[in-house]
Amino acid sequence: MPKPVKRIAVTGGAGQIAYSLLFRIANGDLFGNEQPIALHILDLPIAFSSLEGVKMELDDCAFPLLSEIRIGTNPYEIFENVDWALLVGAKPRGPGMERADLLSENGKIFIEQGKALNESANKDVKVLVVGNPCNTNCLIAMTHAPRIPRKNFHAMTRLDQNRAEYQLAAKGDVEVRHVTNMTIWGNHSMTQVPDFYNARIDGRLVPEVIKDREWLEKDFTETVQKRGAAIINARGKSSAASAANAAIDAVRALCQPTPEGQWFSSAVCSDGNSYGIEENLIFSFPCKSKGNGDYEIVENVSWNDYLRNKIKASENELAEERDLVQKEMIHG
């Protein structure tokens, strides 16, 4: 008996990240090689011709799992009955643009997309926001989609997790698969906290394996925090393939049971968390899943003073971002 079609919306469909993402989704990398899918791809009217070209290429791949492709510029139409929404498109920061302006411009986009998801999507749609500033963009969309459970909204910190795992593996001279329990706390920004204290290499706490505390607290942490900027400097363009890969990892982490004793990072609604983080934020926590698309925040991951201070700074930044867009969120 064939499985029912899963409908997946991708925004920013003519952009770089989507170009690295769509073909992998269509090939079965997201939900496996027995799950038929329909792609609902959104972008702005100015990009519609490029979007048509992307659809032509998807058609020409003749993916056996790809049962339907919809493209368009109206989120209310594109989000119709979707089961997953990957919100990739966002307004990038321009030269001289203040953070408040960036948040305001993206606020307008994610207010509309939140409303469209609320009206058109499957009521249990799962939403992953990739477009930056992703935590607060996610908060805006969630706020404008009251019909959808708040728990269904995620902002992507999986790319930060993957970057951190690679750095620890390289320093520890092991393969990446030996690194587990890598938590990114807080905001996907320069204040993010890659938690090496609770991460493990072959089941041992990282500081027991990598004894260079100065490297861990400074070089490692700053490398992860600044990796996106370093790629722009080297490549002349922002991360695309690695961001698309992380989006796939983020969704798969929710659709496959988390191995016993392990966890993954995702920025989720902070309501009711056990760590004392202020409510009504999209904050990255350690999470685990039974593989049904749902998750729970892992409790009792210990903080020392170093972590506590760093995490507080990221929490404060997210609260400031929320306050900057509060007026638009209320009146949007």
Side-chain angles (χ1 to χ4, degrees):
M1 185 77 179
K3 295 182 177 180
V5 171
K6 250 188 220 307
R7 298 190 170 274
I8 307 151
V10 177
T11 72
Q16 273 204 101
I17 295 174
Y19 195 73
S20 293
L21 177 63
L22 289 164
F23 297 86
R24 290 190 60 188
I25 296 174
N27 191 49
D29 290 7
L30 198 59
F31 295 116
N33 59 11
E34 295 181 0
Q35 177 59 63
I37 57 171
L39 283 171
H40 296 217
I41 314 173
L42 178 76
D43 214 321
L44 299 170
I46 195 171
F48 189 72
S49 177
S50 296
L51 199 54
E52 289 182 310
V54 171
K55 180 185 181 299
M56 290 161 71
E57 284 205 76
L58 285 164
D59 289 339
D60 292 350
C61 289
F63 289 114
L65 295 171
L66 187 54
S67 66
E68 182 186 350
I69 306 170
R70 295 186 193 176
I71 62 172
T73 61
N74 183 336
Y76 290 86
E77 294 174 358
I78 291 298
F79 291 163
E80 186 178 359
N81 294 327
V82 296
D83 303 297
W84 286 82
L86 309 185
L87 306 186
V88 177
K91 186 179 179 69
R93 192 169 191 155
M97 182 182 276
E98 294 295 325
R99 185 156 140 253
D101 296 331
L102 179 69
L103 287 162
S104 176
E105 289 297 313
N106 276 292
K108 295 166 188 168
I109 296 169
F110 285 87
I111 284 168
E112 182 184 32
Q113 292 189 356
K115 289 178 175 178
L117 285 166
N118 195 63
E119 183 170 312
S120 301
N122 179 327
K123 65 177 172 29
D124 198 37
V125 64
K126 306 294 191 295
V127 181
L128 175 68
V129 178
V130 177
N132 288 319
C134 62
N135 294 58
T136 298
N137 287 344
C138 183
L139 179 70
I140 293 166
M142 180 184 76
T143 302
H144 287 87
R147 184 176 67 97
I148 299 165
R150 287 161 73 86
K151 197 176 182 187
N152 289 16
F153 285 83
H154 297 256
M156 189 175 83
T157 50
R158 184 56 184 251
L159 180 54
D160 305 304
Q161 175 188 327
N162 289 350
R163 288 166 168 168
E165 287 176 353
Y166 169 76
Q167 295 299 325
L168 292 176
K171 183 71 170 179
D173 196 25
V174 298
E175 295 176 9
V176 172
R177 61 190 171 84
H178 294 271
V179 182
T180 61
N181 299 75
M182 184 67 233
T183 309
I184 305 295
W185 298 95
N187 197 4
H188 172 66
S189 75
M190 287 287 291
T191 69
Q192 64 171 275
V193 186
D195 180 358
F196 58 84
Y197 280 104
N198 290 294
R200 292 173 171 78
I201 294 176
D202 286 326
R204 296 171 63 200
L205 291 170
V206 163
E208 296 174 7
V209 180
I210 301 172
K211 300 186 187 299
D212 186 345
R213 192 61 57 94
E214 185 179 354
W215 179 85
L216 288 167
E217 291 189 359
K218 190 172 190 312
D219 295 2
F220 162 73
T221 298
E222 289 184 5
T223 296
V224 177
Q225 290 171 335
K226 297 178 180 178
R227 188 67 163 183
I231 287 169
I232 291 171
N233 289 338
R235 187 172 171 258
K237 298 176 181 176
S238 58
S239 310
S242 57
N245 180 71
I248 287 172
D249 286 345
V251 173
R252 288 178 63 176
L254 295 166
C255 297
Q256 297 174 355
T258 307
E260 186 67 33
Q262 295 186 24
W263 58 73
F264 58 89
S265 296
S266 191
V268 297
C269 184
S270 60
D271 293 0
N273 78 88
S274 63
Y275 290 97
I277 300 298
E278 190 176 337
E279 299 211 336
N280 197 33
L281 296 175
I282 298 292
F283 192 94
S284 187
F285 292 99
C287 299
K288 62 182 179 180
S289 176
K290 294 177 180 174
N292 56 359
D294 209 347
Y295 69 93
E296 58 185 275
I297 295 172
V298 176
E299 298 188 352
N300 301 317
V301 177
S302 61
W303 294 356
N304 56 18
D305 287 343
Y306 170 88
L307 286 173
R308 191 171 289 105
N309 292 335
K310 297 280 188 186
I311 290 167
K312 186 63 180 175
S314 203
E315 178 187 10
N316 289 343
E317 182 182 60
L318 282 168
E320 286 172 17
E321 289 187 9
R322 180 192 59 201
D323 294 345
L324 280 169
V325 298
Q326 197 82 52
K327 192 165 73 172
E328 286 185 42
M329 287 207 296
I330 293 167
H331 299 298

